[in-house]
Amino acid sequence: MARFVVEGGVVTSDELSAGGLRVWLTGNDPVTGEQRGTSLMRPDADLLLDGTLNHPKSYSIAALLHPDLAAEFEALQDRIRDRVITLWQRELNARRGHGGLIREPIARLEVVELQHRRSCALDPHAHRHLWLNVKVRGDDGKWTNVDSRVAMKFHTVINAEGELAARTDTQWIAALARHGYTIGADGEIAELTAAVAPMSRRSAQIETNRVRLIAEWEAAHSGTRPSVEVLQQIDRRAWAVARPNKPSLLDERSWEATVCEELATSCSASNVSSWNSWRARTAASRCSSARFVRSRSRTRRSLRASLTPASK
């Protein structure tokens, strides 16, 4: 598991073993086991904050179609990750003392990164989880907790930074251009928009759940429109209903083969010559004939960095 350390705006990294990760999650030094600040003993204590970097669906599709774009997409995500975690170190603060009244700039913070290629529905959906450990070191050299309230509010800035980077990154734009791709006004790759809906089954499921739940709420409240707070509750419920678990075992080549065939089938109607040409070029190198049963559900629509607390 990759651990990233940010000190003075400089990012370094190393690897944590499974045992080291467990020690790190409890707020201790993963190498020496030394306790960092006050022990996190309360059952409701936050151990980390999960910042999820999501990207336009068409980026994942392009990466699946073209191996060189897969490498470029990984590099783009690396750059956005480094930007996010350095912003955290620079803009967040530590809290200590009674009621957290003492605030201290952060000198060092640590993040563990988890990488995923697909959604729970097994649609192509590259995303990364950035686990920000709540234990940070202040400028005074003492370990304490990050101010989670500031972190939660700051995610709006993270969203904007990530979306801007994905749309304007010169290396990514140049790599797309070599394949004749451009980024449209909606942030998706314009030439691959026909493939987005067929590869977004989870988004469709969530939206269906949301429409149904809103209608049920309005019917139970004499046609009154739900408030913002109620809509947020409905959104959370719509996401949770029938959410599938990701399979523990999955053959990568079989998954790629299935998605490749689905892409060619779903998109050929709108762009027959282009997709048939792509099928001929990639069938031998990337798509075998193996098939497997897909679950139906989850995906996310656009690049976002959502920050949510995670407890034991």
Side-chain angles (χ1 to χ4, degrees):
M1 188 73 68
R3 174 181 64 159
F4 296 87
V5 177
V6 188
E7 291 186 273
V10 178
V11 180
T12 57
S13 64
D14 59 9
E15 294 290 324
L16 295 181
S17 65
L21 178 63
R22 286 191 291 269
V23 172
W24 182 83
L25 285 171
T26 60
N28 296 340
D29 187 299
V31 177
T32 67
E34 180 182 358
Q35 182 175 306
R36 292 173 165 176
T38 304
S39 178
L40 299 170
M41 297 299 293
R42 299 194 326 272
D44 61 342
D46 292 334
L47 303 180
L48 56 88
L49 298 176
D50 181 5
T52 306
L53 296 178
N54 290 301
H55 308 271
K57 173 59 66 67
S58 55
Y59 289 18
S60 297
I61 295 172
L64 188 61
L65 301 183
H66 309 283
D68 61 317
L69 285 184
E72 292 287 354
F73 187 29
E74 289 298 315
L76 171 67
Q77 294 178 84
D78 289 346
R79 292 191 291 273
I80 293 176
R81 175 204 61 218
D82 289 350
R83 174 64 174 163
V84 167
I85 63 179
T86 53
L87 278 172
W88 278 343
Q89 188 258 319
R90 190 179 71 200
E91 302 295 340
L92 302 185
N93 62 270
R95 297 180 70 207
R96 69 168 67 94
H98 181 70
L101 294 178
I102 301 174
R103 288 172 169 77
E104 184 82 11
I106 296 174
R108 175 188 173 113
L109 61 75
E110 299 183 5
V111 174
V112 160
E113 180 184 64
L114 288 74
Q115 300 184 11
H116 300 290
R117 294 185 67 194
R118 53 193 153 257
S119 70
C120 290
L122 303 184
D123 290 328
H125 173 57
H127 60 286
R128 299 186 182 188
H129 295 274
L130 305 181
W131 285 1
L132 170 61
N133 198 303
V134 297
K135 289 299 182 183
V136 295
R137 193 176 69 200
D139 275 351
D140 60 2
K142 297 179 180 179
W143 287 93
T144 186
N145 288 5
V146 68
D147 191 333
S148 59
R149 294 177 300 179
V150 174
M152 297 294 286
K153 293 178 180 178
F154 191 62
H155 84 276
T156 301
V157 177
I158 297 298
N159 286 346
E161 288 282 342
E163 187 158 353
L164 179 64
R167 294 190 184 207
T168 62
D169 187 274
T170 55
Q171 290 177 245
W172 176 238
I173 292 173
L176 292 175
R178 289 195 290 271
H179 290 273
Y181 293 147
T182 57
I183 297 177
D186 60 354
E188 298 283 0
I189 298 173
E191 293 75 15
L192 295 178
T193 53
V196 172
M199 292 290 104
S200 302
R201 276 172 282 263
R202 176 58 171 161
S203 290
Q205 182 196 43
I206 292 172
E207 185 59 26
T208 299
N209 290 340
R210 186 175 186 274
V211 170
R212 176 179 57 80
L213 291 170
I214 290 175
E216 291 175 355
W217 191 95
E218 291 179 347
H221 294 81
S222 303
T224 305
R225 289 291 298 168
S227 65
V228 172
E229 182 179 354
V230 171
L231 285 174
Q232 291 174 343
Q233 295 172 358
I234 288 175
D235 285 344
R236 289 192 290 270
R237 177 62 178 163
W239 178 84
V241 171
R243 179 177 182 262
N245 293 321
K246 292 182 179 179
S248 57
L249 297 175
L250 183 67
D251 181 79
E252 291 291 333
R253 288 187 62 82
S254 295
W255 173 74
E256 288 188 2
T258 299
V259 175
C260 287
E261 288 301 316
E262 289 190 356
L263 283 170
T265 300
S266 63
C267 298
S268 60
S270 59
N271 195 351
V272 175
S273 61
S274 175
W275 283 94
N276 283 346
S277 175
W278 168 77
R279 291 181 74 181
R281 293 197 310 270
T282 60
S285 62
R286 304 214 66 180
C287 296
S288 68
S289 59
R291 304 284 294 183
F292 63 96
V293 177
R294 295 166 57 88
S295 62
R296 303 297 183 193
S297 284
R298 163 167 197 202
T299 190
R300 301 185 185 188
R301 290 175 295 178
S302 60
L303 185 146
R304 288 291 184 269
S306 57
L307 199 60
T308 54
S311 303
K312 290 181 180 178

